[in-house]
Amino acid sequence: MQGTLIAARYLLSKSRLEQDHSSTSPARSVGITLVQVQHGNFIVGSTREPAGFDCHSTYGGIQELAAQLLELAPSLAEARLLRAYAGLRPITPDGSPIISRAPQLPGLILAAGFGGDGLAMSAITAEMITALVDGDGRHEFLPLFSFERFSTNEVVL
Ligand SMILES: Cc1cc2nc3c(=O)[nH]c(=O)nc-3n(C[C@H](O)[C@H](O)[C@H](O)COP(=O)(O)OP(=O)(O)OC[C@H]3O[C@@H](n4cnc5c(N)ncnc54)[C@H](O)[C@@H]3O)c2cc1C
């Protein structure tokens, strides 16, 4: 298989739990991404669970992923599960990262709270940090990600 399969349900799952922080948000959202690596194994993702700092994979998450995967790719019914892993996607209350000097400690530069987009944003984040460190602190996107947009007690990292 070439390329990456991203199910529409994955995009819905992603926006649902990264943008809906209300008490009615679901306990888990699941949507398939599927990629085959060079030696033949498949990597299947992913779930989102508002589980605080718990980094354990859950049986329920694996089960839901398997069920959705089989709808999309029934030929993988005999595939064996080698490994499951989980990680954190820390996010801010408004869903955008903080890329900013810390107001009380201007020598400290923050780049955090990327949710599920930190890899995709790595290059532009490096550009913004470079502007903060080496340049005049100007970059067209920096105002969007300032620490000051939150009062201190609203920031949850
Ligand atoms: C399952 C999963 C799938 C993802 N898929 C994607 C994707 O497809 N595309 C995408 O763009 N993003 C994806 N992400 C999100 C992406 O991984 C994160 O947004 C990104 O890694 C955040 O980068 P970071 O540098 O802020 O934090 P991290 O990558 O978490 O780096 C923080 C580092 O600090 C270290 N650290 C922590 N505490 C201490 C301490 N006290 N002292 C010293 N070091 C410490 C940690 O060990 C870690 O190395 C995914 C995340 C997960 C969990």
Side-chain angles (χ1 to χ4, degrees), residues 10 46 85-90 111-121:
Y10 169 81
S46 65
Y85 66 91
L88 302 176
R89 299 183 182 92
F114 293 92
D117 295 318
L119 306 180
M121 287 190 67

Side-chain angles (χ1 to χ4, degrees), residues 18-140:
E18 287 186 9
Q19 286 159 26
D20 178 4
H21 305 291
S22 66
S23 55
T24 56
S25 68
R28 176 189 301 126
S29 76
V30 181
I32 294 292
T33 61
L34 178 65
V35 67
Q36 187 169 28
V37 294
Q38 209 170 8
H39 55 275
N41 292 344
F42 289 92
I43 300 175
V44 182
S46 65
T47 67
R48 286 174 157 75
E49 306 187 29
F53 291 95
D54 188 344
C55 274
H56 292 97
S57 302
T58 61
Y59 179 72
I62 294 168
Q63 210 174 21
E64 281 188 49
L65 272 174
Q68 288 189 25
L69 178 65
L70 288 189
E71 279 178 30
L72 290 172
S75 59
L76 294 182
E78 300 302 320
R80 279 172 292 169
L81 177 65
L82 290 180
R83 187 161 78 91
Y85 66 91
L88 302 176
R89 299 183 182 92
I91 197 159
T92 65
D94 69 2
S96 290
I98 295 168
I99 304 167
S100 177
R101 285 191 184 275
Q104 306 298 324
L105 283 172
L108 174 66
I109 293 173
L110 304 166
F114 293 92
D117 295 318
L119 306 180
M121 287 190 67
S122 54
I124 191 78
T125 299
E127 262 186 29
M128 285 185 263
I129 292 174
T130 303
L132 288 169
V133 173
D134 278 345
D136 54 8
R138 284 175 197 234
H139 188 286
E140 61 179 309

